[in-house]
Amino acid sequence: MDCTMKRLILLALMTFNCTFVSADTLTLKAGHPESYVVKKGDTLWDISATFLNDPWKWPSLWDVNPQIANPHLIYPGDLLTLVFIDGQPRLVRNGSNDGKPHVRKSPEGRIISKSDAVPAVDLALIENYLVQNRVVDSQWLAEQPMVLAGESPSRHHVLGDVIYIDSELPLHKKYGVYERGREFFNKETGEALGQEAVLTSTGQVIESGKVSKIKLLSNYRETKAGFKVLPMEDDSLMSAYFTPKAADLKTPATVLAIESKMREAGKLNVVYLDKGKQDGVDPGEVFSIYRDGEEIVISHDGLPVPATERTAYDNIVASISSDRAIKMPDVYHGRLLVFKVFDKASLGLIVANERPVRVDDKLVAPDSLAYRGQ
C-alpha cells in the first residue's frame, strides 16, 4: 500500500462525522478516573473505554464540548478531565501534561501535525482490509482477467516481478492480484453470500496488448498463475468513513468466518458477518456477540442434565417434550465493530471479548440484551 493510500485512509478515520444524536444514555464505568493523560498509541475507543461501559458511544462523550471542537484532534500528552454538562458526562481537554500552562492565543494556537492526532481505532489493525479482502460474486470473479505466467521461470511471483495477464489492460492502470478464497453461504437458507477474494499483490500495467504485462509494486503473499486481476478503485476507501452506532437489524447476524481461519477469535481479530448492504448493515455499526445458551434436559429423576452429559434417551426426550428441555440464556462473548461492508457480507473488528468468539456466534444490537463486559 503506497503512502498516499495510507494518508487517505488515516484522514478518513480521523474525520468521522460526529453529528451524533446525544440522546444516548452514557453509563460511567465503576471506578473510572476523574482525569486521563493521553498516551502514544491510544485510540478514542480506548480512552472512552476507560470511562464508559459502552465505549462505542464515544461521540456522545465528546459532544457539545467547547474545548474540543474536533474530538479527533487530541494528542499524546493532553490532559483530559471528566466533567458534567447538563447532567451528562463529557471529556474536556485541559492542555498538555508537560508542566507548562496551555495558552490558546487563537483557534489555531496549537500547530501539530494532524497525523499525530489520536485516531478512533487503531488504523494498523484494519488498513489492509480496507483495500484488500473482498467478498464478491463467484461468477463475476471467474470472469475477470487471469495471471497466465511471469517473466521469471518461477511459479511464485513477488515484488518487482513482471506477470502476464490474459487481457488487454489500460496502460499505467493499477491492479490488485487476488487469490480465490472461501465461498460463503447462509447456513439457514443456503443462499450464496459471495466469494472471498484475498489480495496477494498490487501492480501497474507496463505493457498493454492481447497479453498485458503488470509489474508487481507490492506483495502480501506469493502470486501464482490462475490468480485473478481486479482494478484498485479509489471507492474502496469509502468504507473508512463511519460513525459508531448501534446495529439495527430485524434478525440477528452471525459470525460467518474468521478471517485468519483460526478456530476461535479474540480481541482485535477480524471476522466476516453473514449480513451486508442488502440487509441494511453500515460501516461503524456495533454488535454484541452472543453464544446460544445450551439446552438442559430434565431427567426422569427430575434432575438437570447438561448437553455434554446427555444420552441418546435424553436427546429423544428433548425432541418430543418441551417441558423436559429448557434452553439457557444466551452467553455474552464480546463486542464487534463493522468497518467494511459488501453486498451480502461484512468485515468486523472484535473490540472487546470476555470469551472466545467462534463461527455461528450470534450478533445482535448492543442494547437489545442485558449488557455484559467491558
Side-chain angles (χ1 to χ4, degrees):
M1 188 184 303
D2 57 36
C3 292
T4 300
M5 186 74 74
K6 286 184 178 180
R7 285 196 295 269
L8 285 171
I9 296 173
L10 181 58
L11 178 60
L13 284 170
M14 291 173 56
T15 56
F16 295 156
N17 176 12
C18 284
T19 58
F20 206 54
V21 177
S22 58
D24 283 330
T25 300
L26 299 181
T27 304
L28 291 173
K29 180 179 291 186
H32 65 81
E34 296 301 320
S35 61
Y36 181 84
V37 177
V38 181
K39 301 185 297 292
K40 185 176 181 180
D42 277 345
T43 67
L44 295 183
W45 188 288
D46 296 332
I47 295 171
S48 296
T50 303
F51 295 91
L52 297 178
N53 277 337
D54 298 303
W56 57 272
K57 292 183 178 179
W58 58 259
S60 295
L61 183 65
W62 303 81
D63 202 7
V64 295
N65 188 336
Q67 275 93 349
I68 307 179
N70 184 334
H72 309 285
L73 298 185
I74 62 173
Y75 302 85
D78 280 350
L79 175 63
L80 306 176
T81 302
L82 184 68
V83 300
F84 285 82
I85 299 177
D86 296 329
Q88 289 295 312
R90 299 287 183 261
L91 281 180
V92 298
R93 186 180 63 216
N94 297 89
S96 61
N97 193 41
D98 55 8
K100 298 178 181 179
H102 177 70
V103 178
R104 180 180 294 276
K105 295 182 178 179
S106 71
E108 295 78 34
R110 182 168 68 163
I111 302 176
I112 303 178
S113 171
K114 288 187 178 181
S115 63
D116 296 328
V118 171
V121 294
D122 188 350
L123 175 66
L125 296 174
I126 65 173
E127 64 177 352
N128 289 342
Y129 301 101
L130 289 171
V131 293
Q132 290 187 26
N133 290 23
R134 302 189 191 185
V135 179
V136 298
D137 180 78
S138 180
Q139 183 59 39
W140 177 84
L141 184 63
E143 296 169 354
Q144 300 311 301
M146 179 174 62
V147 177
L148 296 173
E151 286 185 349
S152 166
S154 172
R155 294 176 58 191
H156 306 92
H157 307 292
V158 295
L159 178 67
D161 287 353
V162 174
I163 56 176
Y164 301 135
I165 313 300
D166 67 342
S167 181
E168 186 170 351
L169 304 177
L171 193 62
H172 306 310
K173 188 173 180 64
K174 288 186 177 180
Y175 283 84
V177 183
Y178 287 82
E179 179 181 9
R180 182 184 291 268
R182 295 162 287 186
E183 193 162 5
F184 298 134
F185 297 90
N186 184 290
K187 187 176 180 180
E188 299 295 329
T189 66
E191 178 190 8
L193 300 180
Q195 174 77 56
E196 181 185 33
V198 182
L199 187 70
T200 63
S201 57
T202 63
Q204 188 170 30
V205 179
I206 59 172
E207 187 174 314
S208 180
K210 186 175 181 181
V211 175
S212 298
K213 292 182 180 181
I214 286 181
K215 183 173 182 179
L216 299 182
L217 304 178
S218 66
N219 69 280
Y220 303 94
R221 59 188 75 191
E222 294 172 328
T223 293
K224 302 177 184 178
F227 286 7
K228 295 296 183 176
V229 175
L230 308 177
M232 298 293 289
E233 301 289 355
D234 289 341
D235 61 7
S236 63
L237 292 175
M238 292 304 294
S239 57
Y241 291 87
F242 58 78
T243 300
K245 59 183 178 181
D248 183 21
L249 289 180
K250 294 181 179 179
T251 59
T254 60
V255 175
L256 183 62
I258 298 173
E259 188 279 330
S260 60
K261 299 183 181 180
M262 298 185 297
R263 181 172 178 269
E264 298 179 332
K267 185 176 180 180
L268 306 185
N269 287 150
V270 171
V271 300
Y272 289 96
L273 290 65
D274 67 349
K275 295 285 191 292
K277 293 177 185 175
Q278 293 185 8
D279 306 287
V281 176
D282 293 317
E285 290 193 336
V286 176
F287 288 84
S288 285
I289 309 169
Y290 280 83
R291 180 83 45 83
D292 278 340
E294 69 172 322
E295 188 177 55
I296 301 294
V297 173
I298 305 301
S299 71
H300 64 279
D301 296 325
L303 298 175
V305 181
T308 55
E309 300 177 11
R310 277 161 53 169
T311 64
Y313 173 77
D314 292 324
N315 289 332
I316 293 174
V317 170
S319 65
I320 63 177
S321 175
S322 59
D323 294 335
R324 298 276 296 276
I326 306 172
K327 183 182 179 298
M328 299 297 100
D330 293 341
V331 181
Y332 174 82
H333 277 240
R335 287 285 170 92
L336 177 144
L337 172 70
V338 174
F339 63 85
K340 188 169 186 178
V341 178
F342 309 101
D343 286 341
K344 300 180 181 180
S346 305
L347 278 170
L349 180 72
I350 298 173
V351 292
N353 77 299
E354 288 188 351
R355 300 172 181 84
V357 175
R358 296 179 183 173
V359 171
D360 294 332
D361 280 355
K362 186 186 303 182
L363 302 169
V364 299
D367 292 327
S368 64
L369 294 175
Y371 176 78
R372 289 284 306 280
Q374 302 174 20

